């Protein structure tokens, strides 16, 4: 996967090791529905006793349509917890619990898991049934399949329905679809990105940072862009880790710090970012740590970074046969840390 993440319009490179880009690659930026964890449901609530009938009646008085809207983006554990609050909630949330079954089967058909063959049409049918029962998670997945099928208008329609119900993934995907439109609707895209970003959606935070960095649809602000890169990086978004490192390295939006730049570059490399693996390998080489440098450069080479291959071959000539074999063995056994991509 090409990982062009740094959106600088200038052709003048600050240094040769870290190439800039003019346009972000958003083709892989559409996101799956984010799991929601409302603080109210962090622990399973107890069923109200008869002594708390007044509290129970307050729950019961909540209109079904309001409750369904609030719970539209809940995952199954949260739905189960909410269903234990009172009988009225249990009955009102039944369609959403049913939606989780269709969502589960939709994912099985989409990815060919759970003993079934991959079938996009069956996956879409399952997601649509879940969406019809009010689940924004199913709405976003239905939108993703429509988008993959080239039926973008239908995909956008489902993203919008999920977004309007407060689903951060739907808001993020809707924003990206607006940015990719011809002509782009940047003003509305930025509005949705802010909503999803404040809700903690890391891909939205990264996309918002790109827009702020470029001044696309919003006033250019390196400081605010760097802050959103940093928040997305802390949330596990790998491309944001890489860009956070560059912000620290060049002092763009953040106080210049080579220590923090190195820290975030290593994190991005350890999470599988190929350019970060190349850059971190360069850093290790400059410090004289040849063995580790070869490991990261080998990983970058396998990911398609040609410049890494040339440097790696130069270093290998300086190592003993035992050290070369050890470095390649470490690369073979390396596994990327889990991330939000």
């Amino acid at each position: 996967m090409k990982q062009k993440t740094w959106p600088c319009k200038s052709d003048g490179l600050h240094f040769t090791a870290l190439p800039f880009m003019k346009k972000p690659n958003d083709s892989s930026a559409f996101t799956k529905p984010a799991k929601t964890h409302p603080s109210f449901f962090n622990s399973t609530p107890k069923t109200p006793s008869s002594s708390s009938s007044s509290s129970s009646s307050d729950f019961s008085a909540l209109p079904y349509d309001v409750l369904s809207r609030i719970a539209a983006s809940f995952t199954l554990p949260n739905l189960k917890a909410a269903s234990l609050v009172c009988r009225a909630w249990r009955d009102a949330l039944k369609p959403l619990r049913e939606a989780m079954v269709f969502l589960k089967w939709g994912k099985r058909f989409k990815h060919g898991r759970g003993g079934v063959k991959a079938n996009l049409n069956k996956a879409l049918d399952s997601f649509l049934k879940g969406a019809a029962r009010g689940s924004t998670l199913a709405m976003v997945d239905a939108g993703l399949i429509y988008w993959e099928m080239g039926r973008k208008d239908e995909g956008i329609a489902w993203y919008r329905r999920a977004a309007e119900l407060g689903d951060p993934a739907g808001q993020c995907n809707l924003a990206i679809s607006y940015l990719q439109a011809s002509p782009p609707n940047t003003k509305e895209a930025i509005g949705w990105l802010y909503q999803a970003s404040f809700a903690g959606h890391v891909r939205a935070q990264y996309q918002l940072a790109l827009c702020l960095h470029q001044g696309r649809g919003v006033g250019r602000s390196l400081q605010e862009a760097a802050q959103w890169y940093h928040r997305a990086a802390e949330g596990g978004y790998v491309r944001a880790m890489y860009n956070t490192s560059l912000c620290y390295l060049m002092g763009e939006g953040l106080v210049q710090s080579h220590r923090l730049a190195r820290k975030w570059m290593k994190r991005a490399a350890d999470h599988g970012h190929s350019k970060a693996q190349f850059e971190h390998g360069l850093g290790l080489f400059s410090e004289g740590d040849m063995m580790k440098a070869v490991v990261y450069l080998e990983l970058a080479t396998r990911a398609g970074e040609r410049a890494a291959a040339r440097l790696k071959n130069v270093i290998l000539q300086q190592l003993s046969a035992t050290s070369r074999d050890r470095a390649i063995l470490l690369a073979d056994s390396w596994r990327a840390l889990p991330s939000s991509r």
Side-chain angles (χ1 to χ4, degrees):
M1 178 190 298
K2 293 183 179 179
Q3 294 168 316
K4 297 180 179 179
T5 60
W6 189 252
C8 181
K9 296 183 179 180
S10 171
D11 290 329
L13 303 184
H14 292 272
F15 41 86
T16 57
L18 293 169
F20 286 69
M21 65 168 292
K22 295 182 179 180
K23 186 177 180 182
N25 179 5
D26 288 336
S27 61
S28 62
F30 285 115
T31 61
K32 296 179 180 180
K35 293 183 178 180
T36 56
H37 302 281
S39 58
F40 183 81
F41 297 111
N42 281 347
S43 59
T44 302
K46 298 179 180 179
T47 304
S49 63
S50 57
S51 61
S52 59
S53 59
S54 60
S55 175
S56 178
S57 63
D58 290 339
F59 288 133
S60 302
L62 190 65
Y64 278 20
D65 59 334
V66 174
L67 178 60
S68 298
R69 183 181 178 88
I70 293 172
S73 59
F74 281 13
T75 56
L76 184 57
N78 290 331
L79 283 172
K80 287 182 176 179
S83 298
L84 294 175
V85 171
C86 64
R87 181 177 298 178
W89 281 33
R90 182 194 66 192
D91 295 342
L93 296 176
K94 181 180 178 182
L96 285 172
R97 293 196 301 274
E98 293 174 350
M100 292 298 101
V101 177
F102 289 111
L103 184 67
K104 179 179 179 180
W105 277 101
K107 291 184 181 297
R108 285 183 175 181
F109 282 121
K110 182 176 181 179
H111 302 291
R113 298 171 182 167
V116 300
K117 293 183 179 179
N119 187 316
L120 275 187
N121 289 322
K122 289 185 177 180
L124 177 60
D125 181 65
S126 294
F127 291 141
L128 289 176
K129 288 177 179 177
R133 285 162 173 78
S135 170
T136 62
L137 308 183
M139 292 175 193
V140 175
D141 273 322
L144 285 167
I145 291 188
Y146 274 128
W147 192 273
E148 292 172 9
M149 290 178 169
R151 298 161 65 176
K152 295 187 177 181
D153 288 343
E154 292 168 278
I156 291 173
W158 281 112
Y159 292 153
R160 175 171 280 281
R161 287 188 63 177
E164 290 174 344
L165 286 168
D167 186 279
Q171 293 167 347
C172 180
N173 286 10
L174 181 62
I176 293 170
S177 67
Y178 285 148
L179 291 173
Q180 293 183 349
S182 183
N185 185 347
T186 54
K187 183 177 180 180
E188 190 162 359
I190 293 299
W192 287 115
L193 284 177
Y194 267 112
Q195 287 194 48
S197 295
F198 281 116
H201 195 279
V202 292
R203 288 180 177 86
Q205 292 170 348
Y206 171 74
Q207 293 296 328
L208 178 59
L210 286 177
C211 290
L212 287 161
H213 201 155
Q214 294 174 305
R216 187 182 184 192
V218 66
R220 190 167 189 255
S221 172
L222 295 180
Q223 184 175 3
E224 190 178 356
Q227 290 172 352
W228 284 115
Y229 282 141
H230 197 277
R231 287 182 66 172
E234 289 181 327
Y237 199 75
V238 181
R239 295 182 183 185
M241 295 178 190
Y242 179 72
N243 283 15
T244 297
S245 174
L246 297 185
C247 287
Y248 275 121
L249 187 64
M250 294 179 286
E252 289 197 359
L254 295 170
V255 177
Q256 190 173 39
S257 169
H258 291 284
R259 179 183 65 83
L260 291 174
R262 177 184 171 85
K263 165 191 167 182
W264 283 109
M265 190 66 74
K266 184 178 185 303
R267 284 193 182 182
D270 289 341
H271 284 80
H273 194 289
S274 63
K275 290 187 182 299
Q277 290 167 345
F278 177 33
E279 300 301 340
H280 188 57
L282 276 176
L284 291 167
F285 170 66
S286 66
E287 295 169 1
D289 195 339
M290 301 301 183
M291 275 281 291
K292 288 185 179 179
V294 168
V295 173
Y296 281 98
L297 292 171
E298 173 65 17
L299 294 173
T301 299
R302 295 178 184 183
E305 299 293 333
R306 295 181 181 180
R310 292 192 290 270
L311 178 59
K312 179 199 68 175
N313 292 333
V314 171
I315 299 174
L316 285 175
Q317 295 175 6
Q318 304 175 30
L319 298 177
S320 65
T322 301
S323 295
R324 289 197 297 268
D325 292 342
R326 174 63 177 165
I328 299 303
L329 179 62
L330 288 173
D332 289 338
S333 60
W334 178 85
R335 295 292 181 274
L337 296 176
S339 66
S340 303
R341 296 187 65 185

